[in-house]
Amino acid sequence: MNNNSYNKILLILFLTLSFFAAKADDHKDAGTHQYEFYTGTFDTIDKEGDEKATMYGFEHKNLTLFRDTFIGKFSPVSGGFITDRDSIYLYTGVQAQYAIGPLKVLPSFAPGYYNAGNGKNLGLALEFKSEIKLAFDILESLQIGFAYSHISNNDWGKDGKNPGVNNKTISFSKIF
């Protein structure tokens, strides 16, 4: 990435954090929806380096749909992202939550629709995203997180095409 891309990322992160910090309120008075903005690198392990891209995304969780089970706390998750190469991915799936004090471990799985735009061809419109996220409570209703995800199609692509991509993101989320 060039300096211009880094500047855009830093500006988006600063504005997002400023927005969340200005709107922060006590968790017990907060709403039932968690909104997350994230940015990062799409296709971090691209060997040639020609298909890496910056990604910008949004995610939503309805906190009233969380379910506690004997293997963890689960909720539906929906979202999407766009890259600076006009690739888009829209998804909905399930996310687990395991809390260790203010640290949250959030694995998720979400099938979705992928369109390559001018970016990497993943071989199929149906792609699956597996993700592990570590989030830290900054305030009662504000989190910052780091995620690593993999998107692929299980070799269902045309002629078995499944290059897959690995992504790294940083996120800010707020409960409203």
Side-chain angles (χ1 to χ4, degrees), residues 78-97:
S78 297
F81 66 77
I82 187 165
T83 72
D84 60 0
R85 292 178 179 245
D86 299 323
S87 300
I88 63 166
Y89 183 63
L90 304 172
Y91 57 89
T92 189
V94 64
Q95 181 178 59
Q97 177 177 301

Side-chain angles (χ1 to χ4, degrees), residues 5-76:
S5 295
Y6 283 117
N7 290 339
K8 287 179 186 176
I9 291 170
L10 290 174
L11 178 63
I12 289 170
L13 291 175
F14 174 76
L15 292 174
T16 303
L17 184 58
S18 298
F19 169 76
F20 286 144
K23 299 279 187 176
D25 32 57
D26 193 39
H27 183 66
K28 63 183 172 257
D29 296 330
T32 58
H33 297 275
Q34 183 174 13
Y35 298 100
E36 178 176 301
F37 296 96
Y38 59 90
T39 187
T41 304
F42 178 80
D43 201 14
T44 58
I45 305 180
D46 181 32
K47 291 181 175 74
E48 291 84 39
D50 59 345
E51 297 191 353
K52 284 185 182 182
T54 302
M55 61 193 292
Y56 308 95
F58 176 80
E59 198 167 90
H60 171 260
K61 288 184 272 254
N62 184 334
L63 302 180
T64 61
L65 299 177
F66 268 107
R67 297 294 179 253
D68 282 317
T69 70
F70 68 96
I71 57 171
K73 189 174 183 179
F74 291 87
S75 77

Side-chain angles (χ1 to χ4, degrees), residues 95-170:
Q95 181 178 59
Q97 177 177 301
Y98 304 98
I100 306 167
L103 178 68
K104 307 287 188 285
V105 179
L106 305 157
S108 66
F109 177 78
Y113 168 77
Y114 178 76
N115 183 305
N118 296 318
K120 189 168 191 173
N121 180 359
L122 297 182
L124 194 63
L126 174 64
E127 298 288 333
F128 302 92
K129 182 175 91 146
S130 304
E131 180 177 78
I132 184 74
K133 183 185 310 175
L134 299 175
F136 185 76
D137 293 335
I138 297 175
L139 301 171
E140 291 292 329
S141 61
L142 179 67
Q143 290 180 345
I144 185 171
F146 175 78
Y148 186 84
S149 65
H150 177 76
I151 299 173
S152 69
N153 64 34
N154 194 35
D155 291 331
W156 294 346
K158 186 175 183 179
D159 300 325
K161 182 171 180 137
N162 182 27
V165 291
N166 295 299
N167 314 300
K168 294 179 194 173
T169 60
I170 186 168

